[in-house]
Amino acid sequence: MSRSYTFSHAISRQPSQSIIKGLRAVDTGTPDLALFAQHHADYVAALRSTGAEVTLLDALEDYPDSVFVEDAALCLPEGAVVMRPGAPTRLGEAAIMAPTLAHFYEDIRTIEAPDFIEGGDILTTEKEILVGTSARTTSGGIEALRRATVDWGYTVREVTTPAGVLHFKTDCSLLDEETILSTKRLAASGCFEGYRVIHTAEGEEACGNTIRFNELVIMPSGFPRTAEVLDKAGYTVREVGNSEAAKLDGGMSCLSLRFSPPKPP
Ligand code: CIR
């Protein structure tokens, strides 16, 4: 059973009304709240359809980007690490996530100031934890994660998020023990040497942020050529609408923390 994509649990958070004030690199329009909520419900339903138990947290109006729970923590089989988001408006989200994690984990570690690291920059594979430096994640943050996870037996490898890309995982996703879905621009850096790489189709780079969750590959809808490649490669693809989260640079991984807790809640 794979530790890197087999999960019994997930945590998601309802989108807040304040999401219209969420961070975005480029303004492509205001997210439609009702449609965002519908997509979010479809996403949670997809997670639950695999048999996983999903904890759905209440919306946090004070934190417009708090629906993107992945950035606040890293959940591993041995314990959880509370991140330190590099976006000033998101810094407080990490501490707010900690009590929920404590429901599932006895061993919780925290990234302390002055370092920054966000979950969107972290790709956990079967053999290592890859972390991209970005506008949100510093080398110091990666070093702090290394120190936090070394006695759990993890190897943390620093890589580079392409310039102009929000997070490392904006451009890549784990598909199975040995396979990564990646944009060509990210794979060209050579950071996936030793893995099998499937490229997103030309012009479909925006579906690089997909998740493998138990038997499903959950990807944003609207990327038919990449979906076909994954289908032909033998993956069970589930498409979920993501047009509104995409306006805030959000994809499939950002909307959940996925894990198998070491202690029964
Ligand atoms: C942000 O800029 O922080 C949010 N608007 C989007 C966060 C997306 N998170 C992720 O990819 N893990």
Side-chain angles (χ1 to χ4, degrees):
M1 199 144 92
S2 168
R3 287 154 48 104
S4 52
Y5 60 84
T6 305
F7 307 104
S8 59
H9 288 67
I11 297 170
S12 280
R13 185 182 292 287
Q14 297 279 15
S16 60
Q17 306 272 324
S18 61
I19 200 155
I20 54 172
K21 293 186 261 167
L23 298 171
R24 63 206 82 178
V26 178
D27 196 353
T28 57
T30 305
D32 179 295
L33 284 173
L35 189 53
F36 201 124
Q38 182 56 57
H39 289 164
H40 192 266
D42 294 344
Y43 176 84
V44 170
L47 298 178
R48 284 185 172 144
S49 74
T50 70
E53 186 184 316
V54 182
T55 300
L56 193 49
L57 302 173
D58 290 340
L60 286 178
E61 290 302 332
D62 289 346
Y63 293 93
D65 286 292
S66 56
V67 69
F68 303 116
V69 287
E70 175 185 62
D71 295 317
L74 175 67
C75 295
L76 296 167
E78 298 80 6
V81 184
V82 177
M83 298 286 113
R84 191 159 184 273
T89 57
R90 304 199 59 193
L91 198 51
E93 290 176 31
I96 291 172
M97 184 58 74
T100 302
L101 297 172
H103 189 59
F104 301 101
Y105 286 99
E106 267 158 20
D107 196 348
I108 299 178
R109 302 169 181 195
T110 304
I111 305 294
E112 306 287 354
D115 302 312
F116 293 107
I117 180 164
E118 294 192 357
D121 281 313
I122 305 174
L123 183 75
T124 306
T125 77
E126 213 64 27
K127 52 185 176 191
E128 59 184 343
I129 301 177
L130 285 159
V131 195
T133 48
S134 72
R136 304 286 183 82
T137 293
T138 58
S139 288
I142 298 172
E143 193 47 44
L145 181 67
R146 182 177 289 121
R147 287 194 301 273
T149 57
V150 69
D151 67 305
W152 290 336
Y154 288 93
T155 302
V156 172
R157 178 156 65 97
E158 177 176 328
V159 291
T160 308
T161 300
V165 174
L166 176 61
H167 285 128
F168 181 61
K169 267 194 325 229
T170 303
D171 269 31
C172 65
S173 318
L174 186 81
L175 291 174
D176 61 33
E177 291 88 342
E178 59 190 21
T179 314
I180 287 173
L181 174 69
S182 174
T183 60
K184 281 190 180 151
R185 68 185 164 201
L186 176 57
S189 72
C191 65
F192 298 129
E193 205 176 311
Y195 293 91
R196 180 168 79 115
V197 175
I198 295 179
H199 291 129
T200 54
E202 209 67 43
E204 293 192 351
E205 289 74 14
C207 71
N209 185 268
T210 283
I211 52 169
R212 175 71 191 268
F213 189 78
N214 298 325
E215 69 269 27
L216 297 180
V217 170
I218 306 178
M219 65 179 295
S221 56
F223 302 94
R225 285 175 295 127
T226 306
E228 192 184 339
V229 168
L230 295 177
D231 181 62
K232 286 201 169 128
Y235 298 102
T236 304
V237 174
R238 177 78 60 86
E239 296 181 51
V240 174
N242 190 56
S243 57
E244 306 317 290
K247 290 174 183 168
L248 303 175
D249 308 319
M252 295 291 103
S253 75
C254 348
L255 296 171
S256 62
L257 286 166
R258 304 161 294 280
F259 60 105
S260 299
K263 68 165 183 175

